[in-house]
């Protein structure tokens, strides 16, 4: 697994937005909107890069945005329902790549044929960890990710 700067920034931004929710509930009536500029400054992410990431997260249904002077970003659902895997997939696509392709598309012949099974097992182990770890887990440090 390779964690790109884009994926790392996406997770950091989502955690910062999640932390701005009073009581941890992403109800639109209680969520404090977080401005992209504030996220960029606090998380030390280039604003122009962050804006593209936020757009991807919004398109994936993880964030909603409100325009205007009082605008910003908020979670679309509680942090307990958004996993690290959700964010990684929204920001970067496949969790595991082999030579730039998703692990399931890596094909081998002859003596290397068994590598496909190895890459799929690696992908499955990664998916197990990231799909069982929520933003809320990370915010409260209750989750200790372990491989199966």
């Amino acid at each position: 697994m390779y964690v790109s700067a884009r994926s790392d920034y996406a997770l950091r931004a989502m955690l910062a937005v999640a932390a701005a929710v009073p009581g941890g509930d992403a109800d639109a009536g209680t969520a404090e909107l977080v401005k992209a500029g504030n996220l960029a400054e606090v998380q030390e992410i280039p604003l122009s890069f962050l804006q593209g990431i936020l757009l991807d997260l919004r398109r994936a249904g993880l964030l909603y945005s409100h325009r205007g002077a009082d605008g910003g970003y908020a979670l679309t659902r509680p942090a307990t329902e958004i996993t690290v895997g959700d964010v990684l997939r929204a920001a970067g696509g496949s969790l595991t790549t082999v030579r730039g392709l998703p692990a399931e598309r890596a094909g081998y012949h002859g003596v290397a044929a068994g590598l496909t099974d190895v890459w799929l097992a690696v992908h499955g182990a990664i998916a197990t960890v990231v799909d069982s770890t929520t933003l809320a887990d990370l915010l409260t440090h209750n989750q200790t990710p372990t491989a199966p």
Side-chain angles (χ1 to χ4, degrees), residues 28 58 66 75-76 87 102 119 124 132 140:
R58 190 174 58 81
H66 181 73
L75 301 179
T76 57
V87 178
W119 301 144
S132 65
T140 59

Side-chain angles (χ1 to χ4, degrees), residues 9 11 35 92 119 138:
Y9 290 165
L11 278 165
K35 296 185 181 306
W119 301 144
L138 294 173

